[in-house]
């Protein structure tokens, strides 16, 4: 569960091209990030695979996908959880929420959905705790709001200041470790956040 084999199988089952702008689809097999509008990208496949392997998603788990963009990572996560799981993608940009939801609907995984977060809220605390949380944007510091939404046991993968960071909650203890250097678009401030 959550092994290299299951991640490879998810990539085969959920083709990237379906989640790219039409003119970019011929580049789907290129191992590069691809612009999807609104200053965002569909992440480099090798990076997505690295993140999913760190996350170790298992069938039946509840997973939060922060920065769902085109919906590709949400669909990959849904493949890993299977129909007994639940995956919620949250995305700030309304146009990407609509487009990502359409893309996700095309792969027929009704246990997954994409929505806009409540104003001023990072993630989806209303439906926490989550077994797994994936963040596809770079934070300047570890987002405590997401750590607080993590279940027990639970795993959170988030790029922080260029380092891929894994947060594990187990036995009442939260530990963090870093796993290589990566570049991501910034994790944007949530509109309406109290200042």
């Amino acid at each position: 569960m959550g092994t290299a084999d299951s991640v490879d199988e998810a990539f085969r089952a959920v083709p990237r091209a379906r989640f790219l702008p039409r003119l970019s689809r011929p580049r789907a097999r290129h191992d590069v990030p691809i612009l999807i509008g609104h200053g965002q990208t569909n992440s480099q496949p090798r990076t997505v695979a690295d993140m999913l392997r760190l996350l170790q998603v298992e069938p039946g788990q509840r997973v939060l996908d922060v920065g769902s963009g085109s919906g590709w990572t949400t669909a990959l996560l849904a493949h890993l959880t299977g129909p007994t799981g639940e995956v919620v993608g949250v995305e700030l940009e309304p146009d990407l929420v609509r487009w990502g939801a359409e893309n996700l609907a095309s792969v027929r995984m009704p246990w997954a959905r994409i929505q806009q977060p409540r104003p001023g809220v990072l993630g989806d605390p209303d439906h926490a705790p989550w077994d797994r949380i994936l963040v596809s944007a770079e934070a300047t510091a570890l987002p405590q709001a997401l750590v607080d939404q993590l279940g027990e046991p639970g795993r959170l993968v988030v790029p922080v200041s260029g380092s891929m960071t894994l947060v594990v909650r187990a036995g009442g203890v939260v530990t963090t470790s870093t796993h290589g250097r990566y570049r991501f678009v910034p994790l944007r401030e949530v509109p309406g956040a109290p200042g």
Side-chain angles (χ1 to χ4, degrees):
M1 313 309 172
T3 63
D5 286 346
S6 63
V7 170
D8 290 343
E9 171 55 31
F11 270 72
R12 286 190 292 271
V14 183
R16 186 188 192 199
R18 188 177 291 218
F19 295 85
L20 294 174
R22 191 164 301 281
L23 292 177
S24 299
R25 289 178 182 175
R27 299 174 54 220
R29 292 186 181 274
H30 297 193
D31 192 31
V32 296
I34 293 176
L35 292 170
I36 58 172
H38 304 282
Q40 298 195 38
T41 64
N42 177 286
S43 296
Q44 181 176 5
R46 184 165 31 110
T47 299
V48 174
D50 290 347
M51 294 174 81
L52 293 178
R53 289 184 176 114
L54 278 176
L55 203 60
Q56 296 181 6
V57 176
E58 298 183 15
Q61 289 186 325
R62 300 182 69 247
V63 183
L64 180 64
D65 184 21
V66 178
S68 55
S70 69
W72 187 44
T73 52
T74 309
L76 289 166
L77 290 164
H79 181 83
L80 291 167
T81 69
T84 60
E86 178 187 10
V87 181
V88 175
V90 290
E91 170 58 54
L92 285 177
E93 178 53 56
D95 288 345
L96 291 180
V97 172
R98 284 189 292 274
W99 182 55
E102 289 170 8
N103 293 339
L104 185 61
S106 75
V107 294
R108 295 183 179 87
M109 296 182 183
W111 58 95
R113 67 183 186 278
I114 294 173
Q115 63 194 32
Q116 200 161 8
R118 281 193 294 115
V121 174
L122 179 60
D124 185 3
D126 294 343
H127 297 99
W130 300 97
D131 299 309
R132 300 289 188 267
I133 301 175
L134 179 70
V135 184
S136 296
E138 184 174 325
T140 55
L142 184 63
Q144 187 59 43
L146 294 178
V147 176
D148 292 344
Q149 294 172 45
L150 198 56
E152 165 77 54
R155 295 172 77 91
L156 160 66
V157 173
V158 54
V160 179
S161 297
S163 293
M164 192 62 69
T165 303
L166 169 65
V167 179
V168 176
R169 185 190 299 278
V173 176
V174 174
T175 58
T176 62
S177 55
T178 57
H179 302 266
R181 304 285 297 173
Y182 294 83
R183 292 180 61 190
F184 277 83
V185 298
L187 184 63
R188 294 194 337 226
E189 290 297 315
V190 182

